[in-house]
Amino acid sequence: VKALLTMCGIVKMAEVTVSAQKSSLADCSERVSLCCRALLDPKAKALLKETLLSEGKVSFASFLKHVQDKDGDGDKEESKEEIVAAQADDLIHFRQLRSLTAQGGDLDLDDGSDLARATGYADGGSLLSNELSHVYQLSGFADPVYAEAFVTVHDYDILLEILVINRTPNTLSNLTVELSTMGDMKIVERPQSQTIGPLDQMTIRASIKVSSTETGHIFGTIVYEDATTQEKGYVNLNDIHMDIMDYIRPATCTDEVFRSMWAEFEWENKVAISTSIKDLVEFLDHIVTSTNMSCLTPHDRNEKGSFLAANLYAKSVFGEDALVNVSVEKKDDNDGKLAGYIRIRSKTQGIALSLGDRITSVQRGLQPNKKQ
C-alpha cells in the first residue's frame, strides 16, 4: 500500500510541475500505471516480474557499457591526435634560401618525402585516387576547346585548376573562362584572358569562397577569338556539382543536447524511405556511411526486429549542426520491404535540403546494384 501511495504521489507531483518539465508527464504516468498494475493484478505480476526485475537491469547494464566504450573510443582518438609529427624546435629547410652549390650537382633526393610530410599524405596511391575523384570533364572531346577541372576543397576555399587544350590548328586569342556560381559561393579570383597556340594547352586557376554548407553549382562558358578567321567562338561547360559531403564531419553529442537542438531547430526536411535493402541494420549502416554521420543510438546487431529508430549527428566545417532521425519499419504485407521516414533538422535551410537530396539519391542509387 505504501508503494502504491508513493507512486500516486509521484504522478501528482509531475502534474503540478511547471510547463517546461511537463514533457515527461506522459512517460511518468504510463510507467507508474504499469507498476501499479503489476502490484495489483496477479496475472500482470507473473508476466512482468522477470522483465522489471531482471531484463531491465541487463538492458541498463548494456547501455552503460556502450556509453563507457564510446568514452573509451573518444579517449583513444584524443591520444591519437596527440601524436607529435614534428618537434617545435626542428629546423625548417627553405630550398629558396639555400646556397648555389645545389646548382653545381648537389641534388636534393628527399623532395618526395618532404612533400609527403608537408602535405600529410604518406600514401601516394590514396592521394592519386583522391585527386582523380575530384576531376570534372567540362567539355566534349569533339569541341574545339577541351577543358577539365581539378577541384580542391579546403574548408572555406575552393580552388579550380582548369586544363584548357586547343584542339584546332589555329591560335586562339582572348580565351577567357567565364564562371558563375549558384548558392552561397563567391568567385574571388576570376580567370584572366589568355592566348593559346595551335594544339597547345595551359592551366587556368580560379578561387571561390564558400560561406555555408549547402549544395552549390559552378557553371560557365569558354569565350575565344580565332586569330586567323577573326571569328568568335563559345563553348558551354558542364556544371560542377559541389557535394555537401565535402563539408560534413561526423561528431557526437549527448542525448539531452540532441533533444534540445531538435526542439530548437526550425528547418526540417522529411524524406520517405524507398530502397531495396531488406535488413534494418544494413540500411542504417548504409545511411550512416553515405552521409558521413555518426550514430548516437546504440543497437544490437544480432537482435532481429521489425522496427528500428536511430539518431544521427554531424557538424559541418562551418560549425553548423545536422540532426537526422531514422524511423524505419519492415512490413510483412509489403514483401518485406522497408518503409518509414528520415527526418533532417538544422538551423539553416541549405544544409537540411542538401542533406535530404543526398539521402534521396543514395538510397535510390543503390537499387540497381542490389537487383543485379
Side-chain angles (χ1 to χ4, degrees):
V1 177
K2 291 183 179 181
L4 292 174
L5 292 175
T6 303
M7 288 186 286
C8 293
I10 293 175
V11 176
K12 191 65 177 178
M13 184 182 65
E15 291 178 352
V16 298
T17 50
V18 294
S19 58
Q21 299 177 357
K22 281 191 175 181
S23 59
S24 60
L25 175 59
D27 294 337
C28 176
S29 301
E30 183 179 356
R31 182 69 176 179
V32 171
S33 300
L34 180 64
C35 295
C36 292
R37 186 178 178 184
L39 292 176
L40 297 175
D41 190 352
K43 293 183 179 180
K45 180 179 180 180
L47 293 175
L48 298 176
K49 181 178 180 181
E50 185 69 20
T51 302
L52 295 177
L53 298 181
S54 300
E55 295 182 4
K57 294 181 179 180
V58 174
S59 300
F60 186 66
S62 63
F63 172 75
L64 292 179
K65 183 177 183 301
H66 176 78
V67 173
Q68 292 176 356
D69 293 342
K70 184 184 294 185
D71 295 340
D73 295 339
D75 295 340
K76 290 180 181 179
E77 292 179 358
E78 291 179 358
S79 62
K80 289 182 181 179
E81 294 178 355
E82 292 176 357
I83 297 177
V84 179
Q87 297 296 331
D89 56 350
D90 287 348
L91 295 178
I92 301 176
H93 298 282
F94 295 95
R95 290 185 177 86
Q96 292 82 356
L97 302 180
R98 288 184 179 179
S99 61
L100 298 178
T101 56
Q103 300 179 1
D106 185 10
L107 299 179
D108 188 358
L109 301 178
D110 200 31
D111 287 350
S113 60
D114 286 351
L115 183 61
R117 288 199 299 268
T119 57
Y121 289 102
D123 187 3
S126 63
L127 174 60
L128 178 60
S129 62
N130 184 51
E131 289 183 351
L132 293 178
S133 65
H134 289 81
V135 174
Y136 298 86
Q137 182 178 345
L138 302 181
S139 63
F141 295 108
D143 291 327
V145 177
Y146 174 78
E148 66 180 23
F150 170 55
V151 181
T152 304
V153 180
H154 183 69
D155 294 348
Y156 297 88
D157 301 313
I158 299 177
L159 177 63
L160 295 180
E161 297 182 12
I162 305 173
L163 174 64
V164 178
I165 302 177
N166 181 10
R167 299 178 59 85
T168 66
N170 302 327
T171 299
L172 303 181
S173 59
N174 296 327
L175 186 144
T176 306
V177 181
E178 298 180 352
L179 298 176
S180 299
T181 60
M182 180 183 298
D184 286 343
M185 295 189 296
K186 180 181 179 181
I187 300 178
V188 178
E189 180 184 355
R190 293 186 177 273
Q192 301 296 322
S193 299
Q194 305 288 341
T195 299
I196 183 170
L199 303 177
D200 198 2
Q201 67 181 34
M202 67 172 50
T203 301
I204 301 175
R205 290 175 173 81
S207 180
I208 299 175
K209 278 283 186 181
V210 184
S211 58
S212 67
T213 306
E214 68 174 63
T215 301
H217 296 271
I218 304 173
F219 53 94
T221 306
I222 293 180
V223 182
Y224 61 90
E225 182 178 340
D226 195 321
T228 304
T229 62
Q230 300 298 320
E231 294 181 355
K232 287 189 175 182
Y234 305 89
V235 177
N236 293 324
L237 304 179
N238 294 328
D239 294 353
I240 300 178
H241 178 79
M242 299 308 301
D243 196 354
I244 189 178
M245 292 300 103
D246 293 329
Y247 310 106
I248 294 294
R249 302 289 184 270
T252 58
C253 68
T254 62
D255 294 338
E256 291 77 9
V257 174
F258 185 91
R259 286 194 293 266
S260 175
M261 290 189 295
W262 186 268
E264 176 187 353
F265 292 169
E266 56 183 1
W267 291 105
E268 177 174 317
N269 190 6
K270 192 175 183 180
V271 179
I273 294 176
S274 175
T275 181
S276 60
I277 301 178
K278 299 296 183 66
D279 186 70
L280 296 172
V281 178
E282 182 182 354
F283 177 75
L284 178 62
D285 292 340
H286 174 64
I287 295 298
V288 171
T289 305
S290 303
T291 57
N292 199 23
M293 306 185 77
S294 59
C295 182
L296 304 180
T297 306
H299 54 274
D300 189 0
R301 296 181 175 273
N302 299 324
E303 184 177 351
K304 300 298 181 181
S306 60
F307 183 83
L308 188 146
N311 294 329
L312 312 181
Y313 177 65
K315 288 180 73 72
S316 69
V317 295
F318 308 104
E320 300 167 324
D321 300 293
L323 311 178
V324 174
N325 175 260
V326 180
S327 298
V328 57
E329 180 183 5
K330 188 172 185 179
K331 294 187 176 181
D332 297 333
D333 57 349
N334 196 18
D335 298 332
K337 291 184 178 180
L338 303 183
Y341 292 95
I342 299 176
R343 301 168 64 190
I344 306 154
R345 285 196 181 184
S346 64
K347 187 174 292 186
T348 58
Q349 182 184 16
I351 189 171
L353 296 178
S354 302
L355 202 54
D357 295 339
R358 170 69 178 180
I359 292 175
T360 302
S361 62
V362 163
Q363 65 174 354
R364 290 179 179 176
L366 189 66
Q367 293 181 6
N369 298 331
K370 284 290 180 179
K371 291 178 181 177
Q372 292 174 1

